[in-house]
Amino acid sequence: MSNNILTTFLAETKPTQVLWALQDKASEDWVVLDSPSFENTEVMPLWSSANLAQQHCIDEWSNYVPCEISLADWFEFWLEDLNEDGVIVGINWQGDEEYLEMELSDFTQALAEIESLK
């Protein structure tokens, strides 16, 4: 199942060159939560489309909105900050039942393979 999640994510991200995360409208904080799989680890959920991200703007995330992150920005700004904070990523997060968590280095390597050099 996890390979399918990543394969789908990469296929949907390749043409747009954009990732989606949730950002608080007021504070501009991003959604980062405790990993369900790894103790003392935080995970940042990412989605391949605004629609998938929008589905999670409910309950405790109702003040958040989907925000796009270009792959160029991901490599230039996000990678170093998340790495320093020891944050991993959750791919096309669907809640407690269905998620794929990846180390930042593995995820970034997969992304590098689909980033278009324009």
Side-chain angles (χ1 to χ4, degrees):
M1 177 184 85
S2 61
N3 275 350
N4 290 347
I5 294 172
L6 180 60
T7 302
T8 301
F9 182 92
L10 295 173
E12 292 172 353
T13 303
K14 185 172 183 172
T16 64
Q17 298 288 298
V18 167
L19 313 170
W20 293 88
L22 298 182
Q23 188 177 38
D24 186 291
K25 291 179 261 193
S27 71
E28 297 189 358
D29 288 337
W30 297 86
V31 167
V32 176
L33 60 144
D34 291 334
S35 166
S37 304
F38 303 102
E39 208 171 303
N40 300 322
T41 302
E42 290 186 317
V43 60
M44 180 178 189
L46 298 171
W47 293 272
S48 55
S49 74
N51 286 345
L52 283 175
Q54 182 65 51
Q55 294 171 18
H56 299 278
C57 296
I58 55 172
D59 301 329
E60 72 266 29
W61 296 348
S62 60
N63 291 332
Y64 288 78
V65 293
C67 284
E68 69 176 55
I69 303 169
S70 72
L71 291 192
D73 283 352
W74 177 264
F75 288 112
E76 190 170 340
F77 305 110
W78 286 83
L79 197 54
E80 188 176 336
D81 288 348
L82 291 175
N83 205 29
E84 284 176 7
D85 294 341
V87 175
I88 62 174
V89 292
I91 311 301
N92 277 349
W93 198 270
Q94 296 300 313
D96 294 336
E97 298 306 311
E98 194 175 327
Y99 56 88
L100 169 63
E101 293 178 325
M102 292 183 73
E103 292 290 336
L104 207 50
S105 58
D106 295 338
F107 177 67
T108 299
Q109 189 174 349
L111 277 185
E113 292 172 14
I114 66 154
E115 185 187 23
S116 66
L117 302 169
K118 294 180 180 172

